[in-house]
Each structure stands twice: as C-alpha cells, then as structure tokens.
Amino acid sequence: MSFIMHLESMQSYGTPSTFLMTRPRGFGLSLLTTSLDKILKKDAEVTNKIEDRGILDNIQQRHTLIIDFKKVNGRTPKEFKDSLIDTLQERFWFHHIESHINPYLTPKVYFARLIEELYKRHNESMVILIDNYDIPLEVAAMMEHEDNRIESTCAYLDMLNVIKYSKNKVRWALLSGHVKFTLASEYSEGLPLIYDLSNDERYETMFGFTRKEVSSLFADKIAKFADNLNITPDEYIDLLEQCYGGFHFSDNLQPVMCPACISHLMANNGLLLPYSGAGKYTFLSKYLKQHKDDLNWLYDKDGQDPLFSESIDRKLKGKQLGSLLIQLGFATRTNVLANTDEGYTTWRYRFSFPNLDMKKTFDLITEQCPSSDLTKVLPLDIFKETKEDIEEPLKDND
C-alpha cells in the first residue's frame, strides 16, 4: 500500500510521472501489475483482504490501462510493429473500444488513440501499467541487421513517448520487467526521465521471501522436509537460503529468497532442484555465445561501481554486461563500502552469485553443464547422508 502511496504522491508538473521496477525472473512482477490494478479499482476481491482500511481509504480510485508485452516478437521491423499493434488491439477489444487496423498507422498512433478513447470515456486521469516492458527491446536488439534493430527500437520508444505527452489523461505509469534498458536514444526521444524504484530500500523485501516469512508461511511442510533429511527446520531453511536466497535489492543487504523457487520446492516434496534453470534467458545467452566475456572482473572483487543502477543499451557497452547479470539475478551486491572524503560520500561494492540455483542456471545457459542437471538436486554436502529417494528426478506429473 505504501508503494501505491509513493506513486500517487509524486508531483507530475504537467507530465505523467513514469516509474520503473525491475526484478529477476520469479519475483512476481506480473502479480504486482494485477494487484495494483485491483487495488486502484477498489476491487472487493482484494480490498476485503487489506487490514489497514485507513491507507486504503486514502488511495484514490482510478481507472487503469494494463499492457503486457510478453508475446511481442518479430524478425523484421514490419513484423515487430505488427506485433506491437496486435498487443494494443487486444486492449481495444478488452475495453470494448471500436478500432479498425490500418496498415499505415504506427504503434505510436494506436497507443495515443487508446489513451484518448479511454480518457473520453471516463473523463479523468488513468494509470498505465506496462508489464514485460523490456521484451520488445530484447526482440529488437536480437534482429540480424543494425538498421532493423534501430528502426524497431525507435518504433517502440516512439510509442512509449506517448505517455510523456498525455498530460492530464494519465496520472502516472509503471513499467515493470527484468532488465533496465535505456529508454531514449539519438533517434527517438522515448522516455528520458524514469524514476527507478528497483533499488529503493523501502521496497527491498516487497517481492522476495524473507527467512521469517518462509518459516511462518510454510512451517508444516518445512518440518516434514527437514524430518526427511534428519535435520532441524532451521537447518532446512539454511539450505533454502543457500539454494534460493542471497538476493539483495538495496544497500541494507537484507537477504530475500526467490518466491517462484520456494513455491516450486513446496509443490515438489522439498526437492532442492535448480528451478531457475528452466527459464529462458535468450538475450543474455545469445550475447555470451557471441562474445565469450571473461567475468573474473565482476565476481568477488571489491571496489566495484553501482552497476545495478545502470541502464542497458541495445549493444552492451563497457561494464553493462555486469549490470545485465545483476538485474537478471546472476549477481548481487554482497558488500557495500562507503567512503566519506571532503564532504561527499562514494560507494563501492562487491558482487557475487546469490545462491546455488543461479550459479547452476548460469552454468546451464553457458553450456558448462548438461540440461539433465535440471533433475538433480543442488550440490550440498548435507545430502551425503539423506534418504536415497531425495535425488529422484522429477516425474512427468510433478
């Protein structure tokens, strides 16, 4: 609720405030989008579960426009633009707004029309929630020819630029995804000013599970799984942190575990498998295959810049590969060094793999181990004395 209050309280100065929230895969960003939508609409299904009625009463009810770009694809600029338009067309249908596809109109025009029609209907400022905002930029960046990459990227940035000039039609917009891409270029104005909340200490545990939360939410199952291994529940949670925890999203270094991995484990009889390895990391994988970068400079080296806050370009430059790895969860800050000198403070960092799951997933996408490792428990010493069936592979109905 405090997150919504923050978004609502930002002064727009005639231009809608645009926010960004990124997290690695498995941290529930899509759930964030749907939850915000229901809360802003004062949907009883969600609001009846909120205990703090005072805060809820202080949140203004708003109409929302949700757009999910996870299905956007295309090998050419035309296919790419058509895919963007198809996604927007679904929103026209969802809101029961008449629209006729015109091959001469651009995604920018469609987006502007959609916002205009919704504003005419409600005659009040709306909120725009864009999930998987980064997928179109990844798709454009992986096209074969540079001219195609530029044209497609500009088409998408031009479309997003509509938000900036929506004025009273849009109160604020939230973009969510896994990667922090640059949203402006020398070819397109895009969205040059974005408030990135990804590393805000107020929201460092908003998406992940803390140790206390895991212990409370899954107490019965943890007791059962621990008994199977002849260890205590606290020792089992230690294993969970080694396998799926260790993520830090602010300089407070408050560790959280990956919610999706914990959920998979609870549904799979406590097997400590590399669940993240089943995900797709196409953009990163393609880059690593083409460049074979030596990453010794990134891992477990003190004195690093705050790479987690840096934006990614279509073509990774300098240390942007490090930023990409951090944003995708393959590295996390594990030490913060502050130095105050002559009236100002600088911060330096150490980055490491957060856990065994992400290390194994990195080995899988870089082909350092076979995909059959997805059915093997992570290499913890404690399994040397566990029951024989703990290392059974996943069954088809699991």
Side-chain angles (χ1 to χ4, degrees):
M1 300 299 289
S2 62
F3 182 69
I4 296 178
M5 294 295 288
H6 183 124
L7 304 182
E8 284 282 330
S9 63
M10 183 69 72
Q11 295 295 322
S12 62
Y13 302 108
T15 299
S17 300
T18 307
F19 303 91
L20 174 68
M21 177 60 76
T22 62
R23 282 293 184 271
R25 297 180 185 278
F27 275 82
L29 288 178
S30 294
L31 179 60
L32 167 69
T33 300
T34 56
S35 298
L36 288 176
D37 172 57
K38 291 181 179 297
I39 293 173
L40 289 167
K41 289 179 177 177
K42 302 295 180 76
D43 188 311
E45 178 185 352
V46 172
T47 57
N48 287 342
K49 300 176 183 178
I50 297 174
E51 296 180 1
D52 194 334
R53 310 303 298 182
I55 292 182
L56 182 61
D57 291 340
N58 288 329
I59 293 177
Q60 182 174 338
Q61 184 171 349
R62 293 193 184 279
H63 297 283
T64 60
L65 169 59
I66 298 180
I67 305 174
D68 188 347
F69 284 116
K70 69 179 178 182
K71 294 183 180 180
V72 168
N73 54 54
R75 293 171 296 178
T76 66
K78 183 182 184 307
E79 292 177 356
F80 179 79
K81 294 173 189 177
D82 287 345
S83 186
L84 288 177
I85 290 173
D86 287 344
T87 301
L88 295 173
Q89 184 66 44
E90 289 180 1
R91 296 295 88 191
F92 276 94
W93 294 333
F94 178 83
H95 291 280
H96 302 285
I97 300 172
E98 184 177 355
S99 174
H100 301 286
I101 295 180
N102 184 326
Y104 300 103
L105 295 183
T106 64
K108 178 177 182 177
V109 173
Y110 270 95
F111 192 32
R113 282 189 178 181
L114 179 58
I115 293 174
E116 178 67 28
E117 291 300 323
L118 286 173
Y119 181 69
K120 285 180 180 179
R121 173 181 295 177
H122 303 299
N123 198 30
E124 61 183 21
S125 299
M126 73 191 78
V127 166
I128 296 179
L129 304 171
I130 298 181
D131 194 18
N132 290 298
Y133 93 96
D134 48 338
I135 295 296
L137 293 168
E138 289 189 7
V139 171
M142 290 188 290
M143 290 183 181
E144 289 189 10
H145 303 293
E146 178 66 5
D147 288 346
N148 289 347
R149 292 192 287 267
I150 292 174
E151 181 179 348
S152 298
T153 299
C154 287
Y156 182 58
L157 294 182
D158 287 345
M159 189 205 78
L160 292 180
N161 183 247
V162 170
I163 297 174
K164 179 180 177 182
Y165 293 100
S166 295
K167 296 183 179 179
N168 59 322
K169 300 182 184 68
V170 178
R171 178 63 184 86
W172 51 267
L174 174 66
L175 282 56
S176 58
H178 305 302
V179 180
K180 182 182 179 181
F181 275 101
T182 302
L183 291 175
S185 72
E186 59 185 304
Y187 305 104
S188 172
E189 181 183 7
L191 291 171
L193 180 59
I194 296 286
Y195 298 102
D196 185 6
L197 303 177
S198 308
N199 299 288
D200 192 312
E201 63 184 29
R202 289 170 292 185
Y203 313 119
E204 61 184 337
T205 64
M206 187 169 72
F207 301 97
F209 283 151
T210 63
R211 182 186 180 100
K212 182 178 179 180
E213 288 170 336
V214 169
S215 177
S216 173
L217 292 170
F218 307 104
D220 292 342
K221 287 192 173 183
I222 287 174
K224 173 188 172 183
F225 301 154
D227 183 63
N228 289 341
L229 297 173
N230 298 316
I231 59 177
T232 68
D234 278 347
E235 289 173 327
Y236 187 79
I237 296 177
D238 288 341
L239 296 184
L240 295 186
E241 290 197 305
Q242 291 179 52
C243 292
Y244 311 114
F247 293 99
H248 304 119
F249 298 117
S250 89
D251 288 356
N252 289 335
L253 300 184
Q254 170 67 52
V256 292
M257 302 184 216
C258 175
C261 290
I262 298 299
S263 296
H264 289 317
L265 172 134
M266 294 300 165
N268 200 31
N269 202 32
L271 284 175
L272 297 166
L273 301 173
Y275 294 106
S276 297
K280 293 182 179 180
Y281 299 89
T282 309
F283 181 64
L284 172 64
S285 178
K286 182 176 181 179
Y287 177 88
L288 292 174
K289 287 180 180 179
Q290 292 175 342
H291 295 84
K292 306 293 183 183
D293 287 55
D294 181 355
L295 293 171
N296 287 331
W297 63 269
L298 174 65
Y299 288 100
D300 301 315
K301 305 289 185 181
D302 287 325
Q304 298 277 17
D305 294 325
L307 301 176
F308 49 82
S309 64
E310 298 299 317
S311 298
I312 303 300
D313 291 312
R314 290 181 302 102
K315 298 169 66 176
L316 300 185
K317 304 172 184 176
K319 293 185 175 182
Q320 287 184 2
L321 174 58
S323 298
L324 179 61
L325 289 168
I326 294 167
Q327 291 161 17
L328 290 176
F330 293 103
T332 191
R333 68 197 100 167
T334 53
N335 192 24
V336 182
L337 305 172
N339 179 52
T340 302
D341 185 29
E342 297 182 359
Y344 65 92
T345 303
T346 58
W347 287 266
R348 291 293 180 266
Y349 299 85
R350 170 183 284 252
F351 300 109
S352 306
F353 278 101
N355 52 53
L356 296 173
D357 174 61
M358 295 309 298
K359 179 61 173 69
K360 175 61 71 173
T361 299
F362 187 77
D363 290 343
L364 285 165
I365 66 174
T366 54
E367 300 179 345
Q368 298 180 58
C369 64
S371 58
S372 59
D373 277 12
L374 285 171
T375 61
K376 297 179 181 178
V377 295
L378 293 165
L380 291 164
D381 292 340
I382 196 164
F383 285 106
K384 292 178 180 178
E385 299 178 1
T386 60
K387 296 182 179 181
E388 295 180 359
D389 63 349
I390 197 65
E391 294 199 43
E392 287 185 357
L394 286 168
K395 297 181 175 61
D396 290 340
N397 60 351
D398 284 336

